[in-house]
Amino acid sequence: MENLKKNLVLIGFMGCGKTTLGRKLAARLSYEFIDTDKMIETEEGMAISDIFALKGEPYFRTLEKKAVIKLSGKKQCVIATGGGIIKKESNVNLLSKNGIIIYLKATPEHIYRNIGNDKNRPLLQGGDKMTLIRTLLEERIPAYEKYAEISVDVTGGTVNQITDRIVNALEGKI
Ligand code: S3P
């Protein structure tokens, strides 16, 4: 019973489908859906890529932290986080106080298929995209795995099928 109404916090690399799957999961469970990147863009009135270009990554990370603090008081929300949320352990600690951390696990090929042409991912600009994905993913995987209460493979299947997979993995926890 202690998990009742906990938030469901989606973590994972850029392009693994946190937003798409999060929306679907929230609709399925009648939870509110919140996307930390969207919150930040709305509050700053600027796209993520512009925040990075004009104000820099440390400034973005401060905004991300502020968003996490705001969200830690919420209940019964599905929260799609930015792929770098795990860079600050305190972010995950706050989110996990009232939330179940779900890692959406994707291969580099899957990620590339989803965001290979995307211009709003500043950390993946200015080099061979597949190499950038592989390098950063490898660096981040230990943190995603360490913080995950549940891991769900998102490579293969439709959005509905993967959402089923997440709901099944949550059985008994919500
Ligand atoms: C980032 C991921 C992005 C966004 C920013 C930084 C990261 O979010 O927060 O570009 O460090 O991995 P998505 O995971 O939604 O693409």
Side-chain angles (χ1 to χ4, degrees):
M1 287 299 263
E2 67 169 24
N3 280 319
L4 206 65
K5 297 196 176 160
K6 270 197 166 185
N7 298 318
L8 303 175
V9 181
L10 306 182
I11 64 166
F13 201 77
M14 291 170 260
C16 70
K18 297 179 295 274
T19 302
T20 308
L21 292 164
R23 259 186 222 293
K24 189 59 99 180
L25 182 64
R28 192 77 81 77
L29 301 173
S30 301
Y31 278 33
E32 185 186 346
F33 175 71
I34 300 170
D35 184 311
T36 58
D37 282 345
K38 196 37 85 209
M39 254 176 99
I40 293 169
E41 287 186 325
T42 304
E43 277 172 28
E44 287 292 293
M46 228 187 264
I48 299 289
S49 53
D50 291 331
I51 300 174
F52 269 71
L54 298 173
K55 308 201 167 175
E57 184 174 351
Y59 180 79
F60 171 78
R61 296 298 171 202
T62 306
L63 298 177
E64 199 170 43
K65 163 108 263 170
K66 282 189 189 152
V68 165
I69 292 168
K70 270 193 199 159
L71 292 177
S72 60
K74 296 276 232 176
K75 277 185 181 168
Q76 224 167 336
C77 292
V78 174
I79 301 173
T81 62
I85 206 93
I86 44 81
K87 286 181 68 142
K88 284 194 167 85
E89 187 163 32
S90 58
N91 284 344
V92 187
N93 287 342
L94 266 173
L95 289 168
S96 63
K97 273 207 176 108
N98 198 30
I100 300 173
I101 310 287
I102 304 169
Y103 169 33
L104 304 182
K105 223 163 115 174
T107 60
E109 292 74 16
H110 182 80
I111 290 163
Y112 184 84
R113 272 198 299 278
N114 282 348
I115 55 164
N117 293 318
D118 195 291
K119 298 271 180 289
N120 200 26
R121 271 23 185 245
L123 297 180
L124 299 178
Q125 306 304 315
D128 175 64
K129 187 121 328 155
M130 194 58 175
T131 308
L132 290 167
I133 290 172
R134 278 188 201 284
T135 309
L136 192 56
L137 179 62
E138 220 161 277
E139 188 185 307
R140 297 240 178 113
I141 282 175
Y144 293 135
E145 290 186 340
K146 173 172 157 202
Y147 297 129
E149 191 171 328
I150 292 171
S151 293
V152 177
D153 194 336
V154 295
T155 306
T158 63
V159 170
N160 273 323
Q161 286 165 337
I162 302 164
T163 306
D164 286 344
R165 231 175 266 163
I166 301 172
V167 172
N168 289 339
L170 280 166
E171 206 161 270
K173 289 186 182 279
I174 55 171

